[in-house]
Structures are given as structure tokens and as C-alpha cells.
Amino acid sequence: MATQLHRLLSLLFLPFILFRRGSSPPQPLHRHAATGDDPGLHPIVLLPGNTCSQLEARLTDAYRPPSPQCGAAKGSGRWFRLWKNATAMEDPELAPCLADQLRLVYDPVARDFRNVPGVETRVLGFGSTRDFLSDSPANKDLCMGRLVEALEQAGYRDGEILFGAPFDFRQAPAAPGQPCRAFARFRRQLRALVEHASRKNGGKPVVIMSHSQGGYFALEFLNRSPLPWRRRYIKHYVMASTGPGGFLLAMQQLVSNPSAALSFASGFTGLPSPKVFGPGTLLVVTRVRNYTAQDIPEFLEAIGLPPLAATLYETRALPVKLNFRAPVVPTTCINGVGVPTMKELVYWDGNFSKSPEVVYGDGDGLILLASTLALDTMIGDDPRQEHYKSIKLAGTYHAGVISDGEALERVVSEILGVQE
Ligand SMILES: *[C@@H]1O[C@H](CO)[C@@H](O)[C@H](O)[C@H]1NC(C)=O
Ligand SMILES: *[C@@H]1O[C@H](CO)[C@@H](O)[C@H](O)[C@H]1NC(C)=O
Ligand SMILES: *[C@@H]1O[C@H](CO)[C@@H](O)[C@H](O)[C@H]1NC(C)=O
């Protein structure tokens, strides 16, 4: 039963390689010129990456627990920590409860992903960076803990000029026209937070910074906000470790856990995009059939997913990928390069239960260089995009961009640099 949780989580977890530091260990940062009462300081709102937001849950009478123990808190109205709850994860009796309560289900009537009936969830600490996951040094690196420290050293104060926009990482923005209550709610909350941050700071426009999965939320938020609103409220967008191309690991994770594939709306977000990887780029190779980013629906079928999976991919996830575009606010993209990154999976005899042979290319350990370079054309070359800058950090891992000493220094000076 604990393996059920393991399977579910492996779709969310990024492997340890992403936690690994690049060449330079974190160092005490130089104090930057800015202080809290610097009249030039713009407020900043941070969106962290996958699994970095924490979730609380409560169980109503409608909950049908997989075992009596899982229903113990039913109807009590008590909110408890669903993610991250190390006690429940490590307890063999409670792990299956966690697996059951953490998954989403697709509701064909509402045409939307929602919690299992009887499970209510909420994101912990919206508005602040204080509840970003930091229960271990690795999670502190991955979840902006070091970045927050560096910003605080530079004079930013949480709740005054520094704000956090954690989100339900199990969800994903869906194509316009597809119901997605979770993302609609997040957009309302983030809009209100940005306006609040600006108001609290003399009406100054706000810097938004995202890492990894947070970038999909931030970019869709910006692109679906009216242009006059963006011009009024957004000073700058800093997108770290996000590319338009997705990543191969998302395919491998689906292959290893097809049964959990429909348990999260975010399961398809990372799949390689046909907008970046053309019909000449093989992603998955077998003796009888090869798959490119154009063949994802066939790939989903080949690994044993029900037809609903391909439909959801084509109607909810793919249009968002194809619509990846310039936010039309001043933007800086920061990505690691020079790290071996999965570029092709070989299941030669077509047996997807076996471990693939992996071919590596250049990237940040997760995102391929081709995807980072595509930012230059998809955002940088858009004639409406007036300011675009891309920073490529050599030898820096996906999470190193927001945690390595030198990378952090660069990111913070970039944020301070947009103040003028
Ligand atoms: C962790 O989960 C268990 C059961 O799922 C719950 O009883 C406990 O209160 C949770 N911990 C926290 C800190 O909420
Ligand atoms: C798939 O690609 C491999 C490697 O390029 C090639 O050897 C093989 O013939 C291709 N298979 C098919 C069915 O096209
Ligand atoms: C596929 O590989 C798995 C794991 O190695 C093995 O148990 C299974 O029998 C293989 N299936 C086929 C059809 O060869």
C-alpha cells in the first residue's frame, strides 16, 4: 500500500539530480545597497516550483476512506497538513490515506480536476514566503529558501515588500474555454496580491519572480491579464528555470507510473512541446515505432493509458503549450546550462516496464538547452516584447539557479537592477 503513495509521489517528485548543487556552494552574500526604506525598492512576489507549496486538508462526511483509519478525522472540521506531512508519509498505516487524499480525480460532468469527494484542501500561507517548503536543506534550496534569505539580506521584508504566491501544484492551468476552477481562483488571488503589494508600497509596480513549475502559473497569469493592468502593475518578470519545451523526465515518469497519470492535472504540463521539438527530433525510440513531440497522444496510448488521457492532453494541456508566448512586460529569463540532461529514451524492445537507455544532451539537468534557446525566439523575438534578457548560467543545475552562491548573487543583482 505504501508503494501506492510512492507511485503517486514519483509523478510529482523531481529526482535528486535537481537538488544537486553546481560548482559553487552557497556563500554569504554581499550586502546590496538596497535597504527596507529605500524609496526605489519595488515589491516582489515569488512563485516557487513543484511540491514547494504546502496544502492543508479536512474531511467531510462525504469522504469514503480506503480504510477506517483514513476516515478518523472525518466530519471533525479540523484542518491538517496534507502536504508535506512526513509523519503520514513514513507511517505504513497512514501512507495509503495520504495517497488517497492527495490525488485529484477528473470529473467528466464538471470537465475539471477536483479533489476526491469529501476532501477539502487549501494552500497554506498565501501572500507570504514563510510557508514555502523548507523541511530539509535540499527543500530549502529547491523551494526558494536561500533566495528569500538573500532578498532579506538585501532589505526585503516578508509581508511588506516581499510576498509569496504558493499554489496547488497538483493542478495546472488549462486551455482557455476548459473549466479550471483551481487556476481561476489562483488568478483572482494573485491579482489581488499584486494590487495589495503595489498599494502597500506607494503604488509602485511589482516584480514577479517564478521558479520552474511556478513559471507556467506566472506566465499564464500574466498572459491572461489585460494588457493595461500588466503595464500598470508589473515592473518586471523574472522567470527562472522554465522553458517552453517541457522535459523528457515527464515522459519517463508517465511510463513508470501510468496508473497514477490521471491523478494530477499537472501530470501533462511537463511533456515535451511540439512547438520546440519538431518532427525530426526523436524523444522515445523503440524498434517498431519512434515517438516525437507530435506523437504524444500515441505515446500515451502505447504506455497503456485510457483514451481519456490523450483527450485531456489534447484539449487541456497541449493548447497551453502551443500558446506559450511573450508576457509583454519587461522579462528576464535565467536558466542553467552545461549539465547532462535527458534528451532521448530508448526502450528498444518496446517493453516499457524496463528501465530505458537514456541519451543525454545539454541543459540544466531537467530542461534541455533547446528549450532554453527557444525562449529567445518565443519571447525575445516577439515584436511586442520591448525588454527581454536571457541569462544562461554555466554548470548550474535546475535548482542551483535559485540556490547556488554565485547564481543567487546574479539573480538578486538582477532583481535589484530592475529597480531603477
Ligand atoms: C499528518 O497526517 C495525519 C493523518 O493523515 C494527521 O493526523 C496529522 O494531524 C497530520 N499532521 C499535521 C501536522 O497536520
Ligand atoms: C527509430 O529511430 C532509430 C534511431 O534513429 C532507428 O534506428 C529506427 O529505425 C527507427 N525506427 C522506426 C520504426 O522508424
Ligand atoms: C518486460 O520487462 C519486465 C521487467 O524486466 C519483465 O518482467 C516482463 O516480463 C517483460 N515483458 C515482456 C512482454 O517481455
Side-chain angles (χ1 to χ4, degrees):
M1 281 299 262
T3 58
Q4 186 191 336
L5 177 69
H6 175 79
R7 274 201 212 104
L8 193 70
L9 293 182
S10 74
L11 276 190
L12 291 173
F13 274 141
L14 300 173
F16 77 98
I17 194 167
L18 309 181
F19 300 98
R20 265 173 59 185
R21 298 240 170 82
S23 43
S24 56
Q27 284 149 13
L29 287 150
H30 302 313
R31 249 181 183 285
H32 290 271
T35 58
D37 51 6
D38 186 326
L41 219 51
H42 286 266
I44 177 162
V45 175
L46 301 180
L47 280 77
N50 198 1
T51 68
C52 289
S53 303
Q54 303 203 63
L55 306 172
E56 289 186 310
R58 67 179 176 189
L59 307 176
T60 70
D61 287 329
Y63 182 55
R64 297 276 158 269
S67 75
Q69 185 167 9
C70 297
K74 226 170 97 162
S76 71
R78 182 174 77 85
W79 289 97
F80 60 93
R81 194 72 58 92
L82 184 64
W83 183 263
K84 189 184 172 185
N85 185 326
T87 318
M89 279 170 80
E90 281 150 26
D91 181 331
E93 305 262 289
L94 291 178
C97 309
L98 184 60
D100 190 57
Q101 293 156 13
L102 198 54
R103 73 199 163 95
L104 298 176
V105 289
Y106 180 73
D107 176 345
V109 177
R111 292 167 51 232
D112 199 1
F113 281 91
R114 57 163 173 72
N115 286 316
V116 168
V119 177
E120 293 179 356
T121 55
R122 65 183 185 193
V123 171
L124 191 65
F126 187 84
S128 167
T129 61
R130 291 277 175 255
D131 292 309
F132 289 1
L133 190 66
S134 65
D135 61 342
S136 66
N139 280 338
K140 198 171 161 188
D141 282 1
L142 186 69
C143 297
M144 292 183 154
R146 308 239 175 259
L147 175 67
V148 167
E149 276 175 11
L151 288 170
E152 287 179 340
Q153 277 182 41
Y156 284 85
R157 297 281 164 270
D158 192 84
E160 292 174 22
I161 40 176
L162 173 61
F163 302 87
F167 52 87
D168 189 337
F169 52 83
R170 306 170 301 165
Q171 296 278 0
Q178 292 286 325
C180 186
R181 281 173 300 168
F183 185 59
R185 188 181 320 112
F186 177 75
R187 281 174 58 203
R188 285 194 300 275
Q189 287 183 306
L190 182 52
R191 188 175 58 225
L193 179 62
V194 166
E195 291 174 5
H196 165 78
S198 173
R199 223 171 18 247
K200 221 172 147 66
N201 288 275
K204 284 205 216 53
V206 173
V207 175
I208 292 186
M209 173 164 178
S210 63
H211 181 246
S212 195
Q213 189 195 19
Y216 297 118
F217 281 73
L219 192 63
E220 279 302 309
F221 165 77
L222 289 169
N223 280 334
R224 295 189 200 186
S225 299
L227 199 50
W229 186 92
R230 279 180 257 173
R231 295 227 154 102
R232 160 69 186 83
Y233 284 105
I234 306 301
K235 174 74 179 168
H236 206 97
Y237 174 39
V238 180
M239 181 163 73
S241 304
T242 303
F247 38 88
L248 269 284
L249 185 66
M251 296 182 91
Q252 197 197 1
Q253 285 173 326
L254 287 179
V255 171
S256 342
N257 295 294
S259 61
L262 294 175
S263 300
F264 296 114
S266 53
F268 296 155
T269 304
L271 287 172
S273 168
K275 202 152 172 187
V276 173
F277 299 103
T281 307
L282 303 183
L283 302 174
V284 172
V285 169
T286 73
R287 186 174 19 221
V288 295
R289 159 116 221 218
N290 292 330
Y291 300 88
T292 67
Q294 279 67 32
D295 308 320
I296 300 273
E298 291 79 6
F299 166 77
L300 296 175
E301 195 192 330
I303 62 172
L305 288 177
L308 174 65
T311 304
L312 292 179
Y313 168 77
E314 285 175 314
T315 56
R316 289 179 77 88
L318 181 60
V320 176
K321 286 178 197 303
L322 296 178
N323 212 12
F324 190 105
R325 65 192 191 280
V328 200
V329 295
T331 299
T332 302
C333 296
I334 309 182
N335 294 77
V337 297
V339 175
T341 303
M342 205 183 263
K343 73 178 258 220
E344 196 177 292
L345 298 168
V346 183
Y347 296 91
W348 187 247
D349 62 7
N351 183 346
F352 289 115
S353 306
K354 286 193 187 158
S355 305
E357 232 178 86
V358 179
V359 181
Y360 290 90
D362 189 357
D364 72 356
L366 180 71
I367 296 176
L368 284 162
L369 179 61
S371 182
T372 293
L373 294 175
L375 291 165
D376 297 348
T377 45
M378 290 170 75
I379 298 182
D381 290 349
D382 188 321
R384 299 169 310 152
Q385 179 70 30
E386 282 169 20
H387 175 103
Y388 167 78
K389 180 172 171 185
S390 166
I391 299 175
K392 296 165 185 85
L393 299 169
T396 306
Y397 282 83
H398 192 71
V401 170
I402 52 157
S403 56
D404 280 2
E406 273 172 40
L408 259 188
E409 186 115 14
R410 188 77 199 269
V411 169
V412 172
S413 72
E414 199 57 31
I415 289 171
L416 293 174
V418 306
Q419 300 297 339
E420 286 80 46

